[in-house]
Amino acid sequence: HQTRGKMVGRGKVKHLRLFQTLRHDTAAIHVGAAGGEGGNRQILEDILRKLLPNAKSVSVSSDALIALSSGLGRKDGAVLIAGTGTVGFLRMGDTLPRFGGWGYQVDKGGSGWHLGRDGFHAAMAGYDAGLPATALTQMYEDHLHMSMSAAIPALYRGDITLAACAPLVFEAARKGDAVALQILRENAACLAETVSRMYKHFNAPLTVVLTGGLLREGSLYLEMLRAQVAHLPVTLMIPSQPPLFGAVSMAAEKAGLPDDPAFSEHFAL
């Protein structure tokens, strides 16, 4: 465990130990975890098998896969996550190709970090000649408790978290600020590009499960995304079940249980 701690993390191992409280034989258990891919997958599965030696089936996946399963069960389809970062996955049988999710320095946009960064840039209006006036300038200065000119060195010192500024962009957009609305449109276009690439790879009508803090039913950001993919045979879905249901569904499949719609209807936390 000590040699593996850097990859798995003490917190994750601590949570896995909760499974030791299970007293009955377990037909199947599935864990969806951030970073539950690649080499980490085998490490986590080995830990679970030691904690649950009587479990007949133990499996681990990324948290994206259980989010997908929470909306589609065992069917093929896609998931798009948009929070502090953004990433897409496409399930095609046993394959799970990835779309984006390489971090803020590589991904084009669409995430909370990018929204906060673009809002910060726009808020430099009045200091950066030629930028259009926007309510974001005063909002950022109020939020940061400093002028935007002072915010520049603070940003490069690491004193400012750009993703935490994303709500300011949403607030300004709700109030009709043209600059904030354009920031949302441009970042929604980045998400739409990911959806388009997933559809082209799938090459058939596609259902995309949406999850993450930025994509809420009724939100302006989601409305913009829907508008930008309206020309594609794509259905964007907000799952009615939590990600936990996706993990339970995947465990049920491993246990050999049939894919019964009543399972979802009667599922409750």
Side-chain angles (χ1 to χ4, degrees):
H1 162 63
Q2 289 180 352
T3 60
R4 296 174 173 181
K6 289 184 180 179
M7 295 184 69
V8 177
R10 293 180 180 177
K12 196 159 288 180
V13 173
K14 180 180 178 181
H15 284 96
L16 290 176
R17 285 188 180 131
L18 294 174
F19 290 110
Q20 287 180 310
T21 62
L22 295 174
R23 306 221 176 252
H24 303 289
D25 288 347
T26 304
I29 186 166
H30 184 87
V31 173
E37 309 166 346
N40 282 351
R41 176 179 178 180
Q42 188 61 55
I43 292 171
L44 292 170
E45 287 181 351
D46 289 346
I47 293 171
L48 281 169
R49 288 190 181 95
K50 290 179 180 179
L51 296 175
L52 292 168
N54 295 325
K56 296 178 182 178
S57 173
V58 169
S59 56
V60 171
S61 72
S62 71
D63 52 351
L65 190 54
I66 63 169
L68 191 158
S69 296
S70 71
L72 295 180
R74 304 176 190 180
K75 298 176 184 176
D76 284 350
V79 60
L80 177 66
I81 301 174
T84 301
T86 180
V87 65
F89 286 94
L90 181 62
R91 182 165 61 195
M92 302 173 65
D94 294 330
T95 65
L96 194 71
R98 175 177 182 151
F99 299 79
W102 309 117
Y104 68 90
Q105 291 182 307
V106 177
D107 290 336
K108 285 186 176 181
S111 71
W113 185 91
H114 290 98
L115 289 170
R117 187 276 313 273
D118 292 351
F120 190 103
H121 175 263
M124 294 303 298
Y127 300 91
D128 190 330
L131 288 178
T134 170
L136 288 168
T137 300
Q138 188 64 53
M139 294 172 70
Y140 267 71
E141 290 182 338
D142 290 345
H143 175 74
L144 300 173
H145 305 291
M146 66 182 77
S147 68
M148 290 306 297
S149 59
I152 291 291
L155 176 67
Y156 287 107
R157 286 196 305 268
D159 297 338
I160 295 174
T161 303
L162 288 175
C165 298
L168 302 177
V169 179
F170 285 104
E171 182 182 349
R174 283 193 297 270
K175 294 178 179 178
D177 186 87
V179 173
L181 286 166
Q182 185 61 23
I183 289 172
L184 290 186
R185 286 190 201 95
E186 291 173 356
N187 279 274
C190 294
L191 297 181
E193 181 184 355
T194 299
V195 172
S196 178
R197 289 197 294 124
M198 290 193 291
Y199 161 68
K200 290 177 181 177
H201 196 87
F202 196 65
N203 197 30
L206 177 67
T207 298
V208 182
V209 177
L210 304 177
T211 186
L214 299 183
L215 299 173
R216 305 288 187 185
E217 194 63 71
S219 73
L220 181 59
Y221 200 43
L222 177 53
E223 290 175 9
M224 290 178 174
L225 175 59
R226 288 190 192 280
Q228 294 189 35
V229 300
H231 64 290
L232 298 173
V234 166
T235 300
L236 302 182
M237 169 198 287
I238 302 291
S240 59
Q241 295 283 14
L244 176 60
F245 172 78
V248 174
S249 176
M250 295 179 72
E253 182 177 12
K254 294 287 186 179
L257 298 178
D259 189 7
D260 185 354
F263 180 68
S264 174
E265 295 170 7
H266 294 95
F267 179 82
L269 293 177

